[in-house]
Amino acid sequence: MSGTAAPGPGIELVGGPTPGALPEPPRGTSERPLPIVMDCDPGHDDAVAILLALSRPDLRVLGISTVGGNAVLERTTETALRVLALAGRPDVEVAAGAAHPLEGPLHTAPHVHGESGIEGPALPEPVSAAIGEFAPAAMARWIAAADAPVVLVPTGPLTNVALLLEEHPSVRDRIAHICLMGGSITEGNITPAAEFNIWVDPEAAEIVFDAGIPVTMIGLDVTHRSIVWEPEREALSRAGDRVGPVVGGLLAFFQEFHERTYGWAGTPIHDAVTVAHLVEPGLVRTAALDVRIETQGRYTRGRTVVDLRRVTGRPPNAHVGLDIDRERFVTLLTEAIRSYR
Ligand code: BDR
Ligand code: CA
């Protein structure tokens, strides 16, 4: 079965305003260009997120940190360097971070991204090398040196971000916002209950959500509505001279998993939604809600338990994505890819 119907409507809230709602948008995020640090495990959709961020004059990518996730750390780091070569931006620093979660072994996702973590079209050879600094230390340095509060954009397991918060507490005040891809209110994708990024390192996720720093959770409820359908992918492939065909090829490979699993003739680009959310106010509809991370659970480890109906009375700790304007997202992406000459 194969379809172009996006999964149902976005999540609707019931009930009145949340007591103690988080300020909207999170503080510090009106600064332009907005300084961001991308923490990722590329990955097809991480690669698109990086390309989108680098194309935007209203964002300044201070550095890219890599983590073991979709593939082992050596692979995700090499891929980040290849994506920078593709973008013509080898000047952006890349720091390799945690090879495995805070507890236990790393689980990768070859069934989604292939063995290399980014199967499909050949990416250019790296023209730069990773700096020899552990990612959490490099992130702290980038944040401390920034001239404005920084937004962290994690699109992989949250191990590096948790280590940053624990080992470099002096920079916490300089982090305006953590806009992450991970979690879900409803379905999981690696288990029935859990989304991959949170499931790989729930202990790290708990540290991040409990840090008292504004978090935006772009979960599967939103990203499974960020689908680029086949005709749009073909248009994307033709956008821009160099980058369009490569991105088109990456999305064609990524679609295979989603076609097999969900029957979609298209592919979500989970991680790029985080970046899109930072540059297009109103693109993603969010609500301030309480989110707890299940670190135990016989069947539910790694689940983001979202108090959608506000039954706990706990104050919210996250802006949770509920829905996305899909067409605006695809337009934004296509324009970004077209801007590479
Ligand atoms: C997330 O898991 C990874 O496979 C993707 O890169 C994305 O960050 C989606 O669950
Ligand atoms: Ca990712």
Side-chain angles (χ1 to χ4, degrees):
M1 186 195 72
S2 188
T4 52
I11 307 284
E12 291 302 333
L13 283 178
V14 293
T18 311
L22 294 166
E24 183 73 60
R27 73 192 162 90
T29 54
S30 54
E31 183 77 23
R32 298 291 150 163
L34 185 66
I36 69 170
V37 169
M38 305 193 74
D39 183 68
C40 55
D41 62 340
H44 298 75
D45 51 334
D46 305 76
V48 179
I50 294 169
L51 290 168
L52 174 60
L54 291 174
S55 78
R56 299 285 312 192
D58 48 358
L59 297 178
R60 188 151 38 86
V61 180
L62 303 178
I64 296 177
S65 46
T66 55
V67 65
N70 288 325
V72 295
L73 181 68
E74 292 70 23
R75 297 276 193 183
T76 59
T77 305
E78 184 185 319
T79 300
L81 295 166
R82 287 177 182 269
V83 172
L84 289 175
L86 177 67
R89 290 296 307 276
D91 55 297
V92 177
E93 284 190 340
V94 172
H100 53 77
L102 295 182
E103 293 179 16
L106 174 68
H107 296 282
T108 58
H111 61 297
V112 183
H113 297 273
E115 279 304 326
S116 69
I118 192 150
E119 292 297 311
L123 292 172
E125 289 295 318
V127 291
S128 54
I131 58 174
E133 192 178 10
F134 188 47
M139 295 161 90
R141 178 171 57 76
W142 295 329
I143 293 164
D147 51 13
V150 170
V151 176
L152 300 186
V153 187
T155 58
L158 289 162
T159 323
N160 285 342
V161 182
L163 291 171
L164 165 72
L165 297 176
E166 298 230 304
E167 293 175 4
H168 304 275
S170 62
V171 299
R172 279 176 176 237
D173 283 353
R174 302 283 299 158
I175 303 172
H177 176 200
I178 300 173
C179 184
L180 64 89
M181 192 283 137
S184 164
I185 302 171
T186 53
E187 62 186 322
N189 61 355
I190 187 74
T191 73
E195 180 280 330
F196 179 77
N197 288 341
I198 305 294
W199 175 81
V200 170
D201 197 342
E203 283 74 21
E206 185 168 52
I207 291 169
V208 172
F209 277 81
D210 286 354
I213 296 168
V215 168
T216 296
M217 176 182 124
I218 303 288
L220 296 177
D221 318 284
V222 172
T223 67
H224 276 176
R225 294 181 174 82
S226 73
I227 299 172
V228 174
W229 300 113
E230 241 161 35
E232 295 167 332
R233 166 163 63 77
E234 279 155 19
L236 233 154
S237 302
R238 293 189 298 271
D241 305 335
R242 292 177 305 111
V243 176
V246 179
V247 170
L250 289 175
L251 298 187
F253 183 92
F254 205 33
Q255 181 175 319
E256 289 175 20
F257 166 77
H258 296 96
E259 198 147 8
R260 272 195 315 272
T261 310
Y262 302 98
W264 297 335
T267 182
I269 317 182
H270 310 276
D271 294 341
V273 179
T274 55
V275 178
H277 180 56
L278 296 177
V279 297
E280 282 272 318
L283 181 86
V284 176
R285 183 162 57 85
T286 62
L289 295 167
D290 179 61
V291 181
R292 301 287 131 194
I293 310 297
E294 179 56 85
T295 58
Q296 308 295 316
R298 186 169 167 198
Y299 302 113
T300 53
R301 181 168 155 81
R303 183 164 184 87
T304 44
V305 180
V306 179
D307 187 5
L308 187 64
R309 306 303 177 202
R310 298 149 182 165
V311 296
T312 63
R314 273 198 294 260
N317 62 342
H319 298 272
V320 178
L322 305 176
D323 204 356
I324 181 170
D325 183 338
R326 190 200 71 84
E327 288 181 9
R328 232 167 108 199
F329 172 66
V330 175
T331 303
L332 181 86
L333 216 52
T334 311
E335 281 166 6
I337 299 308
R338 185 171 295 125
S339 72
Y340 284 97
R341 293 284 161 207

